Amino acid sequence: MNILIPTDLSPIARQAVDFALHIHQADTNKLFFIHLSENDHAENNLSSYIQTLDIDPSVEVHSIVKKGEFTSSMLNEIADELSIDLIALATEGREGFLNTIIGSQTSKVINELYCPVMIVPDEYSKDPIKAIAYASDLEELDDELIQIIPFAKIFNATITILHIHPVYPERVDLKTFPAEDTVNTFRAKHSYPQLEIRFQKTDRQNQVIDGLQTYLNEHKPDLLIMFTRERGLLDKIIDGSKTAKMSLQVQIPLLSFPVKRPEE
């Protein structure tokens, strides 16, 4: 797995590195650090910074220095060129995921990226990934599980398909949805028995953030996964610090998968 880590050379990037190294323990990796700077000494500064991270010599590390701003087009171009499998972003602050190196455009940039993005909060505890919560509207389960399961297999983690309800409009009729049969079918089809489904009910319609928060508090998964097709929800989670009541208080990483890459 090739992992791209944007950094401004501050200590905040340590969380992203720690998570990348966590993956390295279970899956061979290359780490690519990218730093944006107009400074003539930027390459030396980045090299010195990487040395302070104390990365195991067995990890293949590369450094990239460019000018400008972190934009989706820049990151997509680099991801294509280097065959990047995952972009790891560190964040600071307990309220939402807003304070990443990308800044106030975080959710916009992530929604436009073609590869998965891992956002690692400063409360990340480095615990083994044993339980994954996959927030789903139940509409594209097969296509999305195809992308999630290979990642889960790295850690042999249990995947819980988590559906928050009631929502309006409801894309799937829960009264007729064959939950157990669906899970059994996917377990067999993807040869992955560690698959579960859970319905989290809220007091009123469209309280998805509240439902997620309740589930996270009660079940304490090690990773939250969602797809950018849920644009509004992703915006609320990442930019939640703008509106306190919409903020998802999390101490676990969030893995965002793109829905579909545009046709070439």
Side-chain angles (χ1 to χ4, degrees):
M1 181 177 287
N2 294 339
I3 302 177
L4 180 66
I5 304 176
T7 178
D8 59 0
L9 310 186
S10 67
I12 188 176
R14 180 74 244 191
Q15 298 104 254
V17 174
D18 285 341
F19 195 89
L21 294 178
H22 195 151
I23 297 175
H24 176 72
Q25 295 174 8
D27 192 52
T28 303
N29 268 285
K30 293 180 184 178
L31 300 185
F32 296 84
F33 287 84
I34 177 168
H35 174 54
L36 304 185
S37 176
E38 306 287 336
N39 193 317
D40 292 338
H41 305 289
E43 291 187 9
N44 289 334
N45 292 341
L46 178 56
S47 179
S48 298
Y49 173 78
I50 292 172
Q51 290 178 16
T52 68
L53 297 176
D54 231 7
I55 299 173
D56 189 287
S58 66
V59 181
E60 187 174 332
V61 178
H62 301 266
S63 59
I64 305 164
V65 174
K66 287 185 174 290
K67 298 180 180 180
E69 297 180 346
F70 283 116
T71 62
S72 55
S73 57
M74 171 193 283
L75 292 173
N76 280 330
E77 182 178 340
I78 293 170
D80 272 348
E81 181 182 340
L82 301 176
S83 299
I84 295 297
D85 301 295
L86 179 71
I87 296 175
L89 285 173
T91 182
E92 61 182 351
R94 292 180 60 84
E95 294 189 346
F97 287 101
L98 179 61
N99 296 321
T100 69
I101 187 174
I102 297 176
S104 61
Q105 297 298 307
T106 298
S107 63
K108 179 179 184 297
V109 170
I110 289 176
N111 274 292
E112 295 172 352
L113 291 176
Y114 301 150
C115 70
V117 179
M118 182 74 72
I119 306 180
V120 187
D122 58 4
E123 296 291 326
Y124 170 53
S125 63
K126 307 178 192 177
D127 290 333
I129 297 177
K130 297 179 180 179
I132 296 173
Y134 152 43
S136 172
D137 61 9
L138 306 178
E139 198 172 29
E140 302 289 345
L141 282 176
D142 198 22
D143 289 344
E144 294 178 355
L145 284 170
I146 286 172
Q147 299 178 67
I148 294 172
I149 288 175
F151 186 86
K153 282 183 175 179
I154 295 174
F155 305 99
N156 196 31
T158 297
I159 303 170
T160 297
I161 302 167
L162 175 62
H163 180 69
I164 311 297
H165 72 104
V167 294
Y168 181 83
E170 183 69 79
R171 291 175 174 147
V172 174
D173 186 354
L174 298 187
K175 293 179 181 179
T176 59
F177 181 72
E180 196 57 38
D181 288 347
T182 298
V183 170
N184 287 333
T185 297
F186 288 137
R187 285 171 180 160
K189 180 176 182 178
H190 299 290
S191 301
Y192 201 72
Q194 302 99 304
L195 192 60
E196 303 173 351
I197 190 166
R198 183 178 179 86
F199 299 95
Q200 185 75 38
K201 188 175 182 179
T202 56
D203 294 334
R204 295 186 300 276
Q205 286 184 345
N206 300 326
Q207 293 183 315
V208 179
I209 295 294
D210 289 346
L212 280 173
Q213 189 69 69
T214 298
Y215 181 85
L216 296 179
N217 291 344
E218 292 180 354
H219 298 275
K220 303 188 185 322
D222 305 302
L223 176 68
L224 175 62
I225 290 180
M226 62 181 304
F227 282 73
T228 54
R229 181 160 55 89
E230 297 291 347
R231 171 82 188 246
L233 177 58
L234 183 66
D235 291 346
K236 289 175 184 177
I237 290 175
I238 293 175
D239 296 340
S241 55
K242 294 179 180 178
T243 308
K245 68 179 181 179
M246 287 300 226
S247 177
L248 186 66
Q249 304 294 316
V250 295
Q251 292 81 46
I252 61 172
L254 165 67
L255 175 56
S256 171
F257 280 91
V259 177
K260 187 177 181 182
R261 180 172 184 146
E263 297 295 333
E264 298 291 347

